[in-house]
Amino acid sequence: MASLTLFQRLTKCWQISSRDSEAALKPAVKILVTGAAGQIGYAILPMIARGQMLGLDQPVIIHMLDIPSSSEALGGVKMELIDSALPLLRGVVATTDVVEACKDVNFAVMLAGFPRLEGMERKELMSKNVAIYKAQASALEQHAAPNCKILVVANPANTNALILKQFALSIPARNITCLTRLDHNRALGQLSERLHVHIGDVKNVIIWGNHSSTQYPDANHAIVKTKDGEKSAKELVANDAWFKGEFISTVQQRGAAILKARKLSSSLSAASAACDHMHDWILGTPKGTWVSMGVYSDGSYGVPDGVYYSFPVTCDKKEWCIVQGLTVDEFSRRKMEATGQELVEEKNLAYSVVSA
Ligand code: LMR
């Protein structure tokens, strides 16, 4: 390089180092985000584009979909993404056309749902969401990349996932999941606060069932890393009444508490949990750790099959697997049944709307 000027040498070094880092990156993948102009969309898009969802070596092309009345806002979000100079972001599509949005996507994060308006009947809400998920199911089925992995976030998340499955029969049920990682993270947060330990030192809580106030946050198997090794969270807290009372109700009611405080539903924590969910599904759960995911139930633990139910799962090679063989006491059994029963009722309501 002796005959080169300093500027030429620096340019050459920059070219070599950017070529090297480029070589370490995976080929770009396409991620659909529906309802992208909304609150969770605004929080999750930079997280995705910074590698929090699929890793720091994974370039992404983001497909943002929203309804025509949000088209201008969506254009604003696109400008902001471009202005954020995010190196992993290799393209942004902002569209109100569901077919264009679903074209060749490898991952889909479904944030779009009809919000419950004051005085609205459950059945009316369900019928609005059935219409949205039916249309998106058929576009995903026809236009997404093979083996596209889907996460439903919008409520009622478990039943929206079921509708998606019903109207996209060629997409394997195991490729469609729904978000209960938000509740899982909330449960970890409660234990970490109670025990004054770092959240990274708590693991293996479980959210069973529906992402609703009937969910069962279960800390019977939770583990805390201490300087003396791993200990049971139950033994460390040593307060059964707290586990059966305040712990459960705080996690169950956390969404409502945030809504009351912010006058808006949780967005930041929902976006963060959606990233965690996809991250662990695709990149795997650490050895000895499980997470909660809403998945198509096979009837494990005696809960209803044929609904999307949240279970403890481990993930490896982009596949989830329900953790088997955990002991379930009578108290837990009743809670798991109650939330399962609610999911069956939601399913019946959704199917009655479909066939109406
Ligand atoms: C949450 O758990 O915070 C949300 O699912 C609540 C909601 O209805 O948006």
Side-chain angles (χ1 to χ4, degrees):
M1 278 200 208
S3 59
L4 299 181
T5 64
L6 176 64
F7 175 73
Q8 284 170 324
R9 284 205 304 277
L10 286 174
T11 308
K12 202 163 177 70
C13 284
W14 180 80
Q15 282 169 345
I16 290 167
S17 76
S18 64
R19 255 206 324 268
D20 283 352
S21 54
E22 192 68 22
L25 295 178
K26 297 172 180 164
V29 291
K30 294 186 176 170
I31 306 179
L32 166 67
V33 178
T34 71
Q39 285 270 324
I40 305 178
Y42 199 66
I44 203 171
L45 290 163
M47 294 181 187
I48 296 174
R50 284 190 181 277
Q52 269 174 261
M53 181 177 276
L54 296 172
L56 297 173
D57 57 350
Q58 181 59 75
V60 293
I61 297 166
I62 297 180
H63 286 203
M64 304 190 299
L65 175 69
D66 218 311
I67 52 177
S69 58
S70 297
S71 164
E72 200 178 347
L74 202 57
V77 176
K78 179 174 176 173
M79 286 188 252
E80 284 210 76
L81 280 172
I82 293 167
D83 296 350
S84 300
L86 300 157
L88 286 174
L89 186 60
R90 298 303 160 90
V92 188
V93 174
T95 182
T96 57
D97 174 8
V98 68
V99 171
E100 185 187 7
C102 292
K103 190 97 192 87
D104 298 329
V105 293
N106 309 95
F107 303 94
V109 181
M110 316 298 284
L111 307 178
F114 200 89
R116 186 166 190 155
L117 305 174
E118 220 177 323
M120 191 184 248
E121 292 290 324
R122 266 173 80 77
K123 194 161 181 166
E124 195 186 343
L125 177 69
M126 190 65 84
S127 90
K128 301 259 186 221
N129 279 297
V130 165
I132 294 172
Y133 278 82
K134 202 168 153 182
Q136 295 182 349
S138 117
L140 278 168
E141 189 173 37
Q142 290 174 56
H143 303 287
N147 210 23
C148 174
K149 307 276 196 205
I150 302 166
L151 165 63
V152 178
V153 175
N155 285 321
N158 303 54
T159 302
N160 286 341
L162 185 67
I163 297 298
L164 194 58
K165 181 206 150 318
Q166 284 307 109
F167 288 99
L169 287 175
S170 69
I171 300 179
R174 58 182 305 102
N175 280 7
I176 302 170
T177 60
C178 70
L179 189 73
T180 54
R181 183 64 175 266
L182 176 55
D183 314 290
H184 182 101
N185 288 351
R186 287 168 173 166
L188 293 177
Q190 288 308 302
L191 286 177
S192 134
E193 296 244 298
R194 174 88 192 188
L195 290 166
H196 305 290
V197 294
H198 188 266
I199 193 142
D201 291 336
V202 191
K203 65 177 185 178
N204 295 357
V205 294
I206 304 170
I207 303 300
W208 299 99
N210 201 1
H211 173 67
S212 75
S213 57
T214 68
Q215 66 174 264
Y216 172 41
D218 174 3
N220 281 308
H221 307 273
I223 288 172
V224 181
K225 194 159 96 190
T226 72
K227 60 180 177 19
D228 303 317
E230 289 193 337
K231 299 247 189 279
S232 143
K234 273 199 97 168
E235 276 168 35
L236 289 174
V237 173
N239 185 337
D240 209 38
W242 183 78
F243 271 112
K244 289 187 169 151
E246 196 183 329
F247 167 73
I248 294 177
S249 60
T250 302
V251 177
Q252 287 175 333
Q253 302 298 332
R254 192 67 156 188
I258 290 166
L259 180 62
K260 185 161 177 276
R262 250 172 50 88
K263 318 284 175 272
L264 288 168
S265 57
S266 351
S267 306
L268 184 60
S269 51
S272 184
C275 285
D276 290 345
H277 174 114
M278 290 306 260
H279 179 277
D280 290 351
W281 187 5
I282 304 310
L283 299 172
T285 43
K287 201 169 177 315
T289 300
W290 65 64
V291 292
S292 303
M293 274 170 75
V295 298
Y296 193 59
S297 170
D298 61 356
S300 289
Y301 293 97
V303 307
D305 57 11
V307 291
Y308 274 82
Y309 192 101
S310 178
F311 286 101
V313 301
T314 53
C315 305
D316 187 33
K317 300 189 178 71
K318 305 186 184 168
E319 299 292 349
W320 53 264
C321 176
I322 297 172
V323 176
Q324 298 292 343
L326 298 172
T327 51
V328 172
D329 62 18
E330 196 39 47
F331 176 85
S332 299
R333 165 75 44 220
R334 284 202 307 276
K335 297 270 180 212
M336 286 159 71
E337 275 169 13
T339 189
Q341 185 54 38
E342 185 185 52
L343 281 169
V344 172
E345 282 162 22
E346 273 188 19
K347 173 182 173 168
N348 293 338
L349 180 61
Y351 282 17
S352 74
V353 168
V354 170
S355 54

